[in-house]
Amino acid sequence: MSDLTQRQSEILEFIRSRLRDTGFPPTREDIAREFGFSSKTGAQDHLVAIARKGYIELVPGNARGIRLLKGGDEVLSHQFELPLIGSIAAGTPLTAATNVESWLRIDPQLFHPRADFLHRVSGHSMKNANILDGDIVGIHAQQDADNGQIVAAVMPHPKTGEDEITLKRYFRRGRRVTLKPENDAPAYRPIEIELAPADGDSQEQSPFRIAGIYAGLIRPRG
Amino acid sequence: MSDLTQRQSEILEFIRSRLRDTGFPPTREDIAREFGFSSKTGAQDHLVAIARKGYIELVPGNARGIRLLKGGDEVLSHQFELPLIGSIAAGTPLTAATNVESWLRIDPQLFHPRADFLHRVSGHSMKNANILDGDIVGIHAQQDADNGQIVAAVMPHPKTGEDEITLKRYFRRGRRVTLKPENDAPAYRPIEIELAPADGDSQEQSPFRIAGIYAGLIRPRG
DNA sequence: GCGTGTACTGTACCAAATAACAGTACAGAA
DNA sequence: TTCTGTACTGTTATTTGGTACAGTACACGC
């Protein structure tokens, strides 16, 4: 259906999500920041390409002058839908199109705080928090969390090495982070992480990052 | 309905029309030009007033950072909405308009079996089934149930006498029905009910009826 | 009469944002 | 091999747009 390249449709999807979340389109700089470009020209080039293919219209000289053309009513319907995020392709932003398993028709505003995406829980590690295997949790996207909050952490799977989302209760003291499962069984051990010192020049990748905080759940069966 | 002044609602309407037509909000200068102000400060003052009254949100430092809050003309089909049933007015069918507290935008097909209506749980009587106070349960409407299923039972409140919905685990042996809470605390006692003999002419009201079976839940907060 | 809110004009500053120019690198088709 | 398109980095010029400050005028309630 799409004659857009992978990257281009990711960017188009980002524009849609920004419209959904903030009510207005992103700037070139917003796009560059989201995808990790160091220059906004990269974003501009993509926009021109997407516009040339007829998916958006660029209004010259206007800040945020991006108008969606195709799939316009899709934007409206996406207002009450949430992406279900499965596994995470390396180096992609979380809600990139490739990581979206499906869209579920649920009003994001049902959750408090508002949910930005969904994730299906597998396993029983959060049993004591009444989050069960097969539940779909709503996650409010944010980069940090308070002590004791349940977070969606992104970290490589111990065996496959592929990035995945897990729910854990978050505690931090200084540079020491503890991610604690909520299950008394001995198999469930807290994960201890020592954050790299924050010297601006460090190239080191943190072993995990917070994708957001737990904002509620859906249990799809009785 | 509107605590906005004449001028303020004109400006709000202009913002809406711009979003419809161009896909992004107007700038202060756009507004000033439209209404013939010679200075954009006039527009800014109006925006601040409208924001203060809760109709829009201004995102500081962002070009066109205007977000609509109220009055998004949401003409949505009920196809992807479910009624939240609160207390039940005497002699009304369950999903009669009077009993509907609100409509929540959730795809009924998310639940298995499909949900026909929702009900907010109050109390901890189903704690062991991992259904908590404040959870919103999806109910699949049907008149009977299998032994061991969790049902939404309609019965008069012991004090007020008003019909209400409660969740219980359902067991039936002959004419004897047991509605069992899922909580070990001694305060939660099973309810035992003797059904009236089923002679077709009986005018007798059964002391309870099954509104449907539990089909899953939504927990709206983290 | 005084304070408060609405409805503007006019000036000014500066961060936000667009947009153009000059590159590099790589992949696939002609 | 050359050409075209994608996917960027880096720099700079210029405009757009937000916001603060200082006013004027009028209406309304206390």
Side-chain angles (χ1 to χ4, degrees):
Chain A
M1 172 224 145
S2 152
D3 49 335
L4 295 178
T5 66
Q6 172 68 27
R7 205 54 161 165
Q8 285 164 3
S9 38
E10 279 174 34
I11 286 169
L12 181 55
E13 189 45 52
F14 173 65
I15 297 168
R16 291 219 180 90
S17 78
R18 272 306 177 85
L19 275 165
R20 208 171 45 243
D21 298 346
T22 69
F24 43 88
T27 65
R28 275 65 167 165
E29 205 156 358
D30 288 341
I31 296 170
R33 201 175 319 117
E34 172 75 11
F35 290 93
F37 305 167
S38 66
S39 160
K40 11 183 197 176
T41 310
Q44 168 74 353
D45 288 352
H46 281 301
L47 290 179
V48 170
I50 299 169
R52 185 168 38 75
K53 291 178 178 177
Y55 286 80
I56 58 173
E57 191 186 337
L58 294 177
V59 187
N62 285 56
R64 302 174 194 272
I66 302 171
R67 188 177 303 161
L68 294 180
L69 294 180
K70 300 187 188 176
D73 38 12
E74 218 176 288
V75 174
L76 202 92
S77 72
H78 268 189
Q79 191 176 353
F80 303 115
E81 299 189 341
L82 280 172
L84 181 65
I85 307 296
S87 58
I88 300 154
T92 59
L94 210 65
T95 50
T98 40
N99 300 327
V100 174
E101 242 176 55
S102 61
W103 288 86
L104 302 188
R105 273 181 285 266
I106 299 162
D107 184 355
Q109 306 286 348
L110 273 181
F111 297 98
H112 302 275
R114 183 199 71 236
D116 295 300
F117 61 91
L118 303 170
H119 173 66
R120 183 179 282 114
V121 174
S122 102
H124 303 87
S125 73
M126 297 305 281
K127 194 184 148 200
N128 288 5
N130 284 294
I131 302 171
L132 309 182
D133 186 46
D135 286 356
I136 294 169
V137 288
I139 304 294
H140 178 72
Q142 60 180 53
Q143 286 69 53
D144 47 18
D146 296 334
N147 269 335
Q149 278 189 319
I150 295 176
V151 303
V154 178
M155 40 205 273
H157 186 277
K159 286 176 184 166
T160 66
E162 194 184 1
D163 269 1
E164 57 166 26
I165 300 177
T166 53
L167 283 191
K168 293 282 181 296
R169 204 174 281 279
Y170 174 86
F171 297 93
R172 176 173 173 183
R173 181 159 295 184
R175 287 215 291 275
R176 187 146 201 90
V177 169
T178 308
L179 298 175
K180 200 171 146 305
E182 288 275 341
N183 191 320
D184 299 328
Y188 297 95
R189 292 257 174 70
I191 298 173
E192 303 279 349
I193 294 163
E194 192 76 23
L195 293 182
D199 54 2
D201 295 337
S202 171
Q203 291 297 332
E204 236 182 301
Q205 279 290 358
S206 178
F208 90 109
R209 64 193 156 97
I210 295 175
I213 59 169
Y214 169 59
L217 63 80
I218 300 151
R219 188 168 297 150
R221 359 198 115 246
Chain B
M1 169 219 149
S2 150
D3 49 336
L4 295 178
T5 66
Q6 172 66 27
R7 204 57 161 164
Q8 284 165 3
S9 33
E10 280 173 35
I11 286 170
L12 181 55
E13 191 40 55
F14 174 65
I15 296 168
R16 289 219 184 88
S17 75
R18 271 304 178 88
L19 275 165
R20 258 198 315 279
D21 299 345
T22 69
F24 43 88
T27 65
R28 276 66 168 162
E29 208 155 353
D30 289 341
I31 296 171
R33 203 175 318 116
E34 172 75 12
F35 290 92
F37 306 166
S38 64
S39 160
K40 26 183 186 173
T41 310
Q44 169 73 352
D45 288 353
H46 282 300
L47 289 178
V48 169
I50 298 170
R52 184 166 40 75
K53 291 178 177 176
Y55 287 81
I56 59 173
E57 193 185 336
L58 295 177
V59 187
N62 285 57
R64 303 174 194 271
I66 302 172
R67 190 176 301 161
L68 292 182
L69 294 181
K70 298 185 191 173
D73 38 330
E74 292 132 27
V75 195
L76 267 149
S77 77
H78 275 184
Q79 193 181 350
F80 301 119
E81 300 189 339
L82 281 171
L84 181 65
I85 308 294
S87 57
I88 300 153
T92 59
L94 210 65
T95 51
T98 42
N99 300 330
V100 175
E101 239 175 59
S102 61
W103 288 85
L104 302 189
R105 277 180 283 265
I106 299 162
D107 186 355
Q109 306 286 348
L110 273 181
F111 296 100
H112 302 275
R114 185 201 68 240
D116 294 300
F117 62 92
L118 304 170
H119 173 65
R120 183 178 281 113
V121 174
S122 104
H124 303 88
S125 73
M126 298 304 283
K127 194 184 149 201
N128 287 5
N130 283 296
I131 303 170
L132 309 182
D133 187 45
D135 285 356
I136 294 169
V137 288
I139 305 294
H140 178 73
Q142 60 181 53
Q143 286 70 53
D144 48 18
D146 296 335
N147 269 336
Q149 276 189 320
I150 295 176
V151 302
V154 178
M155 37 204 276
H157 186 276
K159 286 176 184 167
T160 65
E162 196 184 359
D163 269 359
E164 58 166 27
I165 300 177
T166 54
L167 283 191
K168 296 281 181 297
R169 204 173 280 279
Y170 175 85
F171 297 94
R172 177 173 172 182
R173 181 157 294 185
R175 287 216 290 277
R176 187 149 198 87
V177 169
T178 305
L179 297 176
K180 200 169 144 308
E182 288 276 343
N183 190 319
D184 299 328
Y188 297 95
R189 293 257 174 67
I191 299 171
E192 303 281 349
I193 295 162
E194 193 74 24
L195 294 180
D199 52 3
D201 296 339
S202 171
Q203 291 297 328
E204 236 181 303
Q205 280 289 359
S206 175
F208 93 108
R209 63 196 157 95
I210 294 174
I213 59 168
Y214 169 60
L217 64 79
I218 299 150
R219 187 167 299 150
R221 1 196 114 247

